[in-house]
Amino acid sequence: MIAIKVCGIKEENHYELLAKLNVDWVGLVFYPPSPRYITPEQASHLPDFKQQGLQRVGLFVHPDEEEIETVLEKVRLDVLQLYTSLEQACFIRKRFNIPVWLSKGIKRFSDLPTSCPLDGLVIEAPASKTDTRPGGNSKQFDWRITQSWRAPKPWVLAGGLNCRNVDRAISLSGTRAVDVSSGVENQLGIKDSQLIQNFVTKVRNCNDLNCL
């Protein structure tokens, strides 16, 4: 089965839909410049469907421990997804004892990590100098790059995925997990229930049709 993460959820009805669709991870963005930003207070009021298998991933950009601590005081998180240095990610992993995924932007095969002391990787296209965010910019890389990669840890394919291209992305990249955000939005930062459903259906059909 291809695992699914839907990132940038802010509305309770969308959160409930992910649980109903048996999605694997919901991503909560704790980065104020993002149009998908959710405050710790807002996140604390979202339902918790961990018993149904829906895990929470908290996304942070160059965080210090106080920032993460503030969120964890209000919100239970299963995974921390970090845009930061490897050294800082390792420190945060040890400090909070929560699984950490490191986000990594790549352009070529040589950019892919050959070792990883953390729990997972999120692989996407790198941000450009004009981007205001390190990820979530709807950018793609050549998915064929990862096909022969011997990943040191489980990894998630992100960046520019939607219901029109996710089957091709899975086939070309060899990924076992996908991460969607803008691809299920009808406007910047606003998720669409039908697009979420279409995306999940497309991935599940890809499982049935053996896209890999």
Side-chain angles (χ1 to χ4, degrees):
M1 289 285 288
I2 306 298
I4 301 171
K5 173 175 174 275
V6 180
C7 195
I9 294 296
K10 296 187 289 185
E11 304 295 334
E12 185 172 334
N13 64 312
H14 294 146
Y15 200 112
E16 291 172 347
L17 176 60
L18 298 189
K20 181 180 177 182
L21 294 172
N22 296 314
V23 166
D24 300 273
W25 303 288
V26 54
L28 305 176
V29 178
F30 299 106
Y31 181 56
S34 172
R36 303 166 187 101
Y37 173 63
I38 187 169
T39 68
E41 180 65 28
Q42 290 169 330
S44 72
H45 294 296
L46 291 174
D48 190 344
F49 293 107
K50 185 173 183 178
Q51 288 188 338
Q52 289 93 320
L54 181 59
Q55 295 194 70
R56 289 174 170 174
V57 180
L59 187 153
F60 299 84
V61 177
H62 299 296
D64 55 32
E65 57 183 305
E66 289 78 16
E67 182 181 348
I68 294 176
E69 198 169 270
T70 297
V71 172
L72 291 176
E73 286 173 355
K74 293 181 176 292
V75 185
R76 185 195 58 76
L77 296 175
D78 300 292
V79 179
L80 305 177
Q81 179 183 341
L82 305 182
Y83 288 87
T84 191
S85 67
L86 178 59
E87 293 75 17
Q88 180 68 357
C90 289
F91 169 80
I92 288 171
R93 175 69 174 84
K94 185 176 181 180
R95 166 70 175 79
F96 294 101
N97 196 30
I98 296 175
V100 167
W101 297 350
L102 187 65
S103 292
K104 176 76 173 174
I106 70 155
K107 286 185 177 180
R108 55 190 69 85
F109 185 82
S110 59
D111 295 330
L112 291 165
T114 56
S115 63
C116 179
L118 300 169
D119 303 277
L121 294 159
V122 179
I123 302 298
E124 60 188 327
S128 68
K129 292 180 179 179
T130 57
D131 289 325
T132 58
R133 303 183 302 275
N137 297 303
S138 305
K139 293 185 176 182
Q140 303 169 9
F141 63 92
D142 183 350
W143 294 317
R144 294 170 295 183
I145 290 172
T146 58
Q147 197 167 63
S148 60
W149 176 42
R150 294 188 178 184
K153 289 291 171 67
W155 66 283
V156 183
L157 177 67
L161 300 178
N162 55 55
C163 62
R164 299 181 302 277
N165 66 17
V166 68
D167 51 349
R168 185 168 181 267
I170 292 168
S171 178
L172 290 179
S173 69
T175 188
R176 301 300 302 172
V178 291
D179 183 349
V180 67
S181 186
S182 62
V184 290
E185 294 177 352
N186 53 24
Q187 55 182 297
L188 186 63
I190 307 299
K191 295 292 187 283
D192 181 272
S193 296
Q194 189 59 57
L195 290 176
I196 292 172
Q197 201 148 2
N198 291 349
F199 184 87
V200 172
T201 297
K202 194 67 173 284
V203 175
R204 298 273 160 78
N205 286 344
C206 195
N207 284 319
D208 295 339
L209 296 171
N210 296 316
C211 283
L212 297 181

